Amino acid sequence: MPKPGPGLRLIDVAQRAGVSLATASRALSGRDGVSEEVANRVRQVSLEMGYVANPYARTLAGGASSTVGLVVHQVDDPYFSEIAGGVIQLAGEQSLLVQICHSGRDPEQELRQIRSLIAQRVGIIIVAGSGYSDPAVESEARAVLSGYERNGGRLAVIGRHSLSADAVLPDNEAGGRALGEHLIGLGHRHIAVVAGTAALTTVTDRMTGVVAALRAHGLDPEAMPVLHTDFIREGGRVATEAVLRDHPSTTAIIALNDAMAMGVLSSLREHDIAVPARMSVVGFDDVSVAADLAPSLTTVRLPMYEMGRMALDLALKPRAARPRRRRTGHQLIVRDSTGPAPTPH
Amino acid sequence: MPKPGPGLRLIDVAQRAGVSLATASRALSGRDGVSEEVANRVRQVSLEMGYVANPYARTLAGGASSTVGLVVHQVDDPYFSEIAGGVIQLAGEQSLLVQICHSGRDPEQELRQIRSLIAQRVGIIIVAGSGYSDPAVESEARAVLSGYERNGGRLAVIGRHSLSADAVLPDNEAGGRALGEHLIGLGHRHIAVVAGTAALTTVTDRMTGVVAALRAHGLDPEAMPVLHTDFIREGGRVATEAVLRDHPSTTAIIALNDAMAMGVLSSLREHDIAVPARMSVVGFDDVSVAADLAPSLTTVRLPMYEMGRMALDLALKPRAARPRRRRTGHQLIVRDSTGPAPTPH
DNA sequence: TTAGTCTACGCAAGCGCTTTCGGAAGCGCT
DNA sequence: AGCGCTTCCGAAAGCGCTTGCGTAGACTAA
């Protein structure tokens, strides 16, 4: 393992500016107790010499850790990469560094990563990804994180209301309802839901919305096929096979995220089932490629990039007494993957 | 800025194990000079107490910095998110942390980010993204990075041969040639290239391949329209407009990455130009959605995820005397966006 | 036994910074 | 002048760790 290179030390700057180490430190960190004149001189010299404080020393000496830890399921999933993009962008503007790690959709690994970030003494932690309804792991995570906050750590979560922390929450339920309404409005009566992992709160919330839409229109949610597979593209493919096999009367498929919707489309294409002529398909998230799919995907747009920024912004602001929740808007984007229900001839 | 929470110290572990601080340190870091028995006891106690060394103290005291800095254009670009995924995954396996930052396709900002990573004393830096042929910035970057290496920092670059560092290099030229051959084989004689930013070595390399293919078949590269726009989706749209306007005889468009190809497809769709019946389109990279586009995209596959892993792996291995270069394979993936050239009736 | 190795461990000196504390000026007031 | 007060700055004590050095003890060799 390489060592970090040597570098200019504060004492070098101090000597060059003709002041003591302590004064230089105060001048650069903006503490008062230094005359304007001296402070300016020190800042000037430091700039000229290209001095940058050693963050290890600074943090060790009780200073601030300026790195933010970001936990995502997987950064090469467009949903998370857009969130990460937002976080990194805002962090860059604030001269913060972002440490990113994968939870790999595994609650235990997520907990492990969080623990590791805490051990690394990062000052801010952002957890993205829905909560797991695994009570044991979830309550352990809650304990670890609240301990972290008690010690002065800052925390924000994205899309997870199961933690009592500052949170950015997309309105999954309303989004699910909008999708349901849209399809029902097009005359669909046999709707299947490709739901993904049952244990994710994101999934259950979106489901709740879909169910509410059915109820509101006098349809029986109990009769609706709900397929629980992986919350990724492949899960959509597997679920589609099941739908075609076991529920042939289905005329519309709701995938609870775009990744699965892509799997659904790909599977339908293989079966030569025309979308939307014979089958309507909707997704959720509106990842950036949704508009370029074949056919372009009707979906609910979530402002992922903005959500990333909001989460970091929330964590940066002084903490409030009670956890703050910022709800994001959502927007039904109708494209070419949905159409009127085919009339049974 | 929050402070990192307090934590278990090594001295706590040492006392509990009945040894000195120094012995505990040696035991945990696997140094010899400690009896097997004592070492095991210390490790045992440390594990029980859940001790994790304070990385700031460790690094400050001359230990290893276990974080790797990753510079990408933008993490919410699929090409880079897949590379990042590979780096993060391997880093996770090795218990390394990844600090990620955006260069935003701007050489100056990239240099700034690299400087910042160096100032942060990260032990490993991975720079992804093609080089800029801006001689001033590039040579400054070279200087900064070689200084970093001289001080013991580890460096690996992805897709950039302009730096004399360990590098993972996709064979852009051969890939470009494969695309050219493919289209020529289909009978296309009027091929336009949507090239993206002219200053990127990635672009010039891929161009070189395309030109070579034309030459090999007796076609005149000089006659081929080459559009230089931004290396992103929008650039593809802009360039397509220009092609349609200024080069109406064009029957095939080579976009030098998939992002631009998506822009091309979207623009053609708006103009109701059938792909591939009236126009063939190819991309480069094979980002994961390429197969789901409308129509699915013929492209050259680069193993981005693997490239990320390789780069970190390279940086982790002891440095060789001369910079090592690992070439990655490439593979032409023929899909539905290419077909025979339309016969002028 | 005595001298000469080793081995296994503890002491203590830093790494570069922040921060507490105390001292030296400079000020206005009596 | 003398007093207290404020303002500005330097000395020095850590933060938690690694590591060079010294030493006690166990061993071998004469």
Side-chain angles (χ1 to χ4, degrees), chain B:
Chain B
M1 201 63 44
K3 309 196 174 199
L8 231 40
R9 290 156 313 161
L10 180 52
I11 184 90
D12 301 325
V13 175
Q15 280 172 355
R16 193 96 121 67
V19 296
S20 80
L21 185 58
T23 302
S25 170
R26 278 186 276 254
L28 292 181
S29 58
R31 291 253 173 315
D32 50 272
V34 185
S35 68
E36 222 15 70
E37 182 203 334
V38 171
N40 280 334
R41 177 152 41 96
V42 173
R43 276 194 280 265
Q44 177 67 27
V45 170
S46 140
L47 223 61
E48 281 170 8
M49 301 178 73
Y51 168 77
V52 182
N54 181 321
Y56 298 96
R58 182 198 287 267
T59 307
L60 185 57
S65 157
S66 62
T67 103
V68 2
L70 174 63
V71 184
V72 298
H73 283 178
Q74 188 133 357
V75 79
D76 40 326
D77 171 328
Y79 176 77
F80 291 106
S81 76
E82 289 187 33
I83 287 179
V87 172
I88 294 173
Q89 202 64 31
L90 179 54
E93 292 164 18
Q94 311 267 346
S95 309
L96 299 172
L97 266 47
V98 177
Q99 281 189 354
I100 195 164
C101 42
H102 284 173
S103 69
R105 257 173 297 278
D106 169 5
E108 313 241 7
Q109 185 180 341
E110 180 184 80
L111 185 52
R112 227 175 304 130
Q113 297 287 11
I114 290 173
R115 282 219 169 88
S116 151
L117 286 173
I118 294 177
Q120 297 283 330
R121 273 78 171 172
V122 305
I124 298 175
I125 293 181
I126 296 177
V127 181
S130 61
Y132 299 89
S133 37
D134 177 333
V137 178
E138 189 77 8
S139 91
E140 172 117 18
R142 208 179 346 252
V144 169
L145 286 172
S146 80
Y148 174 69
E149 288 200 279
R150 230 175 300 114
N151 284 327
R154 289 300 183 64
L155 175 66
V157 303
I158 299 177
R160 167 181 305 201
H161 45 65
S162 52
L163 264 21
S164 70
D166 286 352
V168 173
L169 298 172
D171 199 339
N172 285 316
E173 193 174 325
R177 177 192 278 257
L179 288 176
E181 303 268 354
H182 172 62
L183 290 175
I184 293 167
L186 287 168
H188 293 275
R189 292 299 174 267
H190 296 279
I191 300 174
V193 179
V194 174
T197 319
L200 300 173
T201 55
T202 303
V203 168
T204 52
D205 292 350
R206 292 177 184 181
M207 267 307 296
T208 305
V210 172
V211 166
L214 292 199
R215 286 242 168 73
H217 290 266
L219 300 178
D220 177 18
E222 300 297 324
M224 175 175 65
V226 177
L227 288 296
H228 287 291
T229 52
D230 285 343
F231 209 43
I232 53 179
R233 187 177 189 279
E234 189 53 29
R237 292 178 55 85
V238 172
T240 304
E241 298 298 325
V243 168
L244 296 180
R245 189 179 57 238
D246 304 333
H247 307 279
S249 58
T250 303
T251 64
I253 295 180
I254 298 181
L256 292 187
N257 75 4
D258 286 352
M260 292 191 303
M262 287 166 61
V264 171
L265 288 177
S266 132
S267 192
L268 291 176
R269 204 179 310 131
E270 280 172 19
H271 284 270
D272 273 328
I273 295 177
V275 176
R278 279 186 52 206
M279 184 82 79
S280 284
V281 177
V282 301
F284 205 116
D285 288 344
D286 195 29
V287 300
S288 66
V289 299
D292 288 308
L293 296 178
S296 61
L297 187 68
T298 295
T299 188
V300 167
R301 170 173 301 167
L302 254 31
M304 280 88 76
Y305 186 88
E306 205 47 47
M307 285 158 63
R309 290 186 67 102
M310 283 167 77
L312 179 52
D313 184 59
L314 214 45
L316 248 22
K317 296 235 166 88
R319 186 160 25 197
R322 311 183 329 134
R324 291 162 295 187
R325 339 217 100 179
R326 291 244 262 263
R327 305 213 81 96
T328 72
H330 69 278
Q331 191 184 353
L332 178 70
I333 308 285
V334 178
R335 296 205 183 91
D336 301 338
S337 67
T338 49
T343 44
H345 72 114

Side-chain angles (χ1 to χ4, degrees), chain A residues 9-10 25 31 51 58 61:
Chain A
R9 290 156 314 158
L10 181 52
S25 169
R31 289 253 172 316
Y51 169 77
R58 183 198 285 267

Side-chain angles (χ1 to χ4, degrees), chain A residues 12 25 41 43 55 59 62-63 71 91-93 120 148 154 167 171-172 204-205 244 253 281 287 296 316 330 345:
Chain A
D12 300 325
S25 169
R41 178 154 38 97
R43 276 192 282 265
T59 306
V71 185
E93 292 165 18
Q120 297 283 332
Y148 173 69
R154 288 301 184 63
D171 199 340
N172 286 317
T204 53
D205 293 350
L244 296 179
I253 295 180
V281 176
V287 299
S296 62
L316 248 22
H330 69 278
H345 73 115

Side-chain angles (χ1 to χ4, degrees), chain A residues 275-290:
Chain A
V275 177
R278 279 184 54 203
M279 184 81 79
S280 285
V281 176
V282 299
F284 205 116
D285 290 342
D286 196 27
V287 299
S288 66
V289 299

Side-chain angles (χ1 to χ4, degrees), chain A residues 43-69:
Chain A
R43 276 192 282 265
Q44 177 66 26
V45 170
S46 136
L47 223 61
E48 279 170 11
M49 304 179 70
Y51 169 77
V52 182
N54 180 321
Y56 298 97
R58 183 198 285 267
T59 306
L60 184 56
S65 157
S66 62
T67 101
V68 2

